[in-house]
């Protein structure tokens, strides 16, 4: 499903084919470890929370692989751990949960006591978000069907290099890669480094690369020629008459 790279308003493609869940750590800058299963799944709920016993919940196989404890409500730390498990960016996670960036910040905000010690994260206020998180935790493949495997700029670049060179295709190099995707002339070189030190491409670049990579796979050079015309047009309208020789996109006022 997810690649080793990450808007909440963009609807995902309808069909994504085979997907997979990556190991923990995908695009994660900082994550808190989930509560160990052994520390949570073996205890009984307090009497005031009785109704459905933990042993009854555990009869359902999907919950056996869950990382969110089933003896307390879902908390912000659980949401962070779930994102870590799915291996997706914050922008993808907010889209998946149907929440805004502000709500994400409130859910995951660190809280400290009067002495400056870190307090346990708060219970997620919206029950629907909590229920959605529990379902995705128990059924990670459902998330895989919604979040595509974002191709990297380097994958797009290799695909472009494999196409026959024609004047209509324009120059294909690192500099033009960055410019073609709305960034400056040096960005392409950073994207194509064998060992990258940054956390990955922005979410909007991921989306653009995804659509271009898909179109190139289906239509070949024709798709890139179409896109190149759109890029040259937008650059010209912004005051850059020749995007191929520019150092970056003009700043808007």
């Amino acid at each position: 499903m997810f690649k080793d790279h990450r808007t909440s308003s963009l609807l995902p493609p309808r069909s994504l084919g085979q997907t997979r869940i990556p190991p923990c750590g995908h695009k994660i800058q900082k994550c808190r470890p989930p509560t160990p299963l052994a520390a949570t799944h073996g205890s009984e709920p307090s009497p005031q929370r009785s109704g459905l016993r933990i042993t009854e919940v555990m009869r359902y196989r999907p919950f056996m692989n869950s990382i969110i404890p089933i003896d307390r409500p879902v908390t912000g730390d659980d949401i962070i751990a779930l994102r870590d498990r799915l291996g997706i960016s914050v922008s993808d996670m907010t889209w998946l949960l149907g929440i805004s960036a502000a709500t994400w910040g409130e859910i995951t905000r660190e809280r400290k006591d009067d002495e400056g010690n870190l307090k346990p994260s708060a219970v997620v206020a919206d029950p629907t978000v909590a229920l959605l998180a529990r379902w995705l935790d128990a059924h990670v493949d459902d998330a895989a069907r919604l979040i595509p495997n974002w191709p990297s700029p380097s994958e797009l670049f290799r695909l472009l290099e494999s196409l026959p060179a024609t004047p209509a295709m324009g120059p294909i190099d690192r500099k033009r890669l960055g410019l073609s995707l709305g960034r400056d002339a040096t960005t392409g070189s950073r994207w194509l480094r064998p060992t990258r030190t940054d956390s990955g491409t922005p979410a909007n670049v991921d989306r653009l690369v995804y659509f271009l990579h898909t179109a190139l796979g289906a239509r070949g050079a024709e798709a890139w020629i179409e896109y190149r015309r759109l890029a040259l047009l937008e650059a010209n309208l912004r005051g850059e008459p020749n995007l191929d020789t520019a150092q970056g996109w003009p700043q808007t006022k």
Side-chain angles (χ1 to χ4, degrees):
M1 171 185 87
F2 313 101
K3 70 186 200 45
D4 59 350
H5 280 292
R6 17 227 138 294
T7 164
S8 57
S9 64
L10 179 67
L11 287 177
R14 181 168 60 87
S15 177
L16 304 173
Q18 288 298 108
T19 54
R20 65 181 179 83
I21 297 296
C24 176
H26 162 73
K27 288 186 61 56
I28 303 300
Q29 296 301 307
K30 177 183 178 182
C31 63
R32 305 172 204 173
T35 306
L37 286 173
T40 58
H41 285 185
S43 58
E44 290 292 332
S46 57
Q48 62 268 31
R49 294 180 184 171
S50 62
L52 180 64
R53 295 170 61 87
I54 289 180
T55 52
E56 295 174 351
V57 174
M58 289 303 294
R59 292 196 186 107
Y60 297 95
R61 182 170 297 276
F63 290 100
M64 296 177 67
N65 296 319
S66 299
I67 61 172
I68 298 178
I70 60 172
D71 59 351
R72 60 163 174 74
V74 177
T75 68
D77 282 345
D78 297 327
I79 300 297
I80 292 174
L82 178 59
R83 180 177 83 98
D84 189 12
R85 182 184 191 190
L86 297 176
I88 60 179
S89 68
V90 170
S91 62
D92 283 341
M93 190 66 175
T94 55
W95 183 90
L96 197 59
L97 295 176
I99 59 177
S100 66
T103 300
W104 171 265
E106 178 61 27
I107 288 175
T108 60
R109 180 168 60 90
E110 290 185 347
R111 293 168 171 80
K112 295 183 179 180
D113 58 24
D114 294 337
E115 297 179 355
N117 299 315
L118 207 60
K119 297 169 59 178
S121 61
V123 171
V124 174
D126 189 334
T128 303
V129 173
L131 292 169
L132 183 54
R134 285 198 181 277
W135 181 266
L136 292 172
D137 184 33
H139 302 274
V140 292
D141 287 344
D142 285 353
R145 286 193 289 271
L146 290 174
I147 304 296
N149 179 5
W150 305 115
S152 67
S154 61
E155 291 176 278
L156 176 64
F157 185 70
R158 288 194 298 270
L159 184 52
L160 286 169
E161 285 188 313
S162 70
L163 299 174
T166 65
M169 284 282 292
I172 304 297
D173 57 27
R174 294 167 182 251
K175 173 182 175 180
R176 274 69 171 205
L177 177 67
L179 290 168
S180 295
L181 297 178
R183 294 305 194 256
D184 61 40
T186 64
T187 307
S189 294
R190 294 199 300 271
W191 283 338
L192 299 180
R193 287 175 184 167
T195 303
R196 297 181 54 183
T197 58
D198 63 332
S199 61
T201 51
N204 54 0
V205 172
D206 278 341
R207 275 62 173 172
L208 181 55
V209 170
Y210 174 85
F211 290 121
L212 290 174
H213 192 276
T214 302
L216 286 170
R219 297 162 49 203
E222 175 192 352
W224 182 252
I225 293 171
E226 175 192 349
Y227 173 73
R228 174 173 159 78
R229 289 171 180 162
L230 294 176
L232 294 174
L233 171 64
E234 184 65 25
N236 188 268
L237 294 172
R238 289 170 176 261
E240 176 51 66
N242 191 345
L243 188 61
D244 289 336
T245 60
Q247 292 302 309
W249 284 72
Q251 296 294 316
T252 57
K253 297 180 181 180

